[in-house]
Amino acid sequence: AQKITQTQPGMFVQEKEAVTLDCTYDTSDPSYGLFWYKQPSSGEMIFLIYQGSYDQQNATEGRYSLNFQKARKSANLVISASQLGDSAMYFCAMRGSDTGAGSYQLTFGKGTKLSVIP
Amino acid sequence: DSGVTQTPKHLITATGQRVTLRCSPRSGDLSVYWYQQSLDQGLQFLIQYYNGEERAKGNILERFSAQQFPDLHSELNLSSLELGDSALYFCASSASGITDTQYFGPGTRLTVL
């Protein structure tokens, strides 16, 4: 079974500073994918960044980067130059294939609430 | 805008009733996933359809059912509703392969009174 752990229920960061949101995972599947989603107070789930288990380099998307440490089973999200609009819940999720061919549902962590202070 | 649409946005109903939530995936996406987000359970996978066929089931109650139609839109049917079914229900879609990202719709917020 797959498991995602996000140990920080809430975090504060000063505007324009960088922040790291922690995510550790557990899986026996050699092939998996790791995702981060953002959920603002309006409720929608917004895809931010993806890292495949076989990717050699850490993923980056604009101000978002994923610090992938496979041996430690961690996939931390780094947001650089925080903005007020970054205030939201952030979810780490994993997709594996050990549930059967063609079924790639996501397993989510409990999320981290990020608050950006002006 | 993810390109995934869900209707209705909000739904208020009474215990014992039945409701239908609708989802249209992004153009070209063959897979549709349903997730439930509640305060106590967090985000949980319910069911997946791929090109009209059920592909995987998660923590979906027997009172809940879903289907995907030939035009690839999907419906989630919730019956004999209980207070505990109040939640945000998301539909997500992806192209097909293992590396495909799932894009989420805006969700349907269900309130059971």
Side-chain angles (χ1 to χ4, degrees), chain A residues 12-89:
Chain A
F12 291 89
V13 64
Q14 205 74 37
E15 195 178 6
K16 300 180 185 174
E17 297 290 310
V19 63
T20 298
L21 306 184
D22 294 341
C23 172
T24 58
Y25 61 91
D26 191 22
T27 182
S28 57
D29 195 335
S31 175
Y32 52 89
L34 294 155
F35 299 79
W36 278 91
Y37 287 86
K38 171 185 178 182
Q39 187 176 38
S41 57
S42 51
E44 72 267 33
M45 292 287 285
I46 302 167
F47 165 71
L48 295 178
I49 196 166
Y50 165 80
Q51 179 85 43
S53 57
Y54 294 120
D55 293 344
Q56 294 297 312
Q57 296 199 347
N58 287 343
T60 60
E61 288 284 351
R63 294 187 298 111
Y64 304 108
S65 60
L66 202 153
N67 184 0
F68 181 47
Q69 298 186 46
K70 197 169 181 177
R72 298 181 62 181
K73 292 190 174 180
S74 75
N76 299 337
L77 176 71
V78 180
I79 305 175
S80 64
S82 297
Q83 302 172 355
L84 296 178
D86 294 335
S87 294
M89 282 291 289

Side-chain angles (χ1 to χ4, degrees), chain A residues 102 104, chain B residues 29-31 33 48 50 94-98 100:
Chain A
Y104 305 124
Chain B
D29 282 0
L30 299 177
S31 271
Y33 303 77
Q48 178 204 0
Y50 174 79
S94 70
S96 60
I98 189 170
D100 294 326

Side-chain angles (χ1 to χ4, degrees), chain A residues 31 35 37 39 43-45 47 50 91 95-97 101-106 108 110, chain B residues 33 35 37 43 45 48 55-56 88 90 96-106:
Chain A
S31 175
F35 299 79
Y37 287 86
Q39 187 176 38
E44 72 267 33
M45 292 287 285
F47 165 71
Y50 165 80
F91 291 95
R95 181 198 55 218
S97 61
S103 63
Y104 305 124
Q105 66 262 30
L106 298 175
F108 285 86
K110 293 190 181 302
Chain B
Y33 303 77
Y35 293 87
Q37 185 179 30
L43 269 156
F45 166 72
Q48 178 204 0
R55 191 58 70 98
L88 188 52
F90 285 108
S96 60
I98 189 170
T99 59
D100 294 326
T101 294
Q102 291 179 30
Y103 291 92
F104 282 69

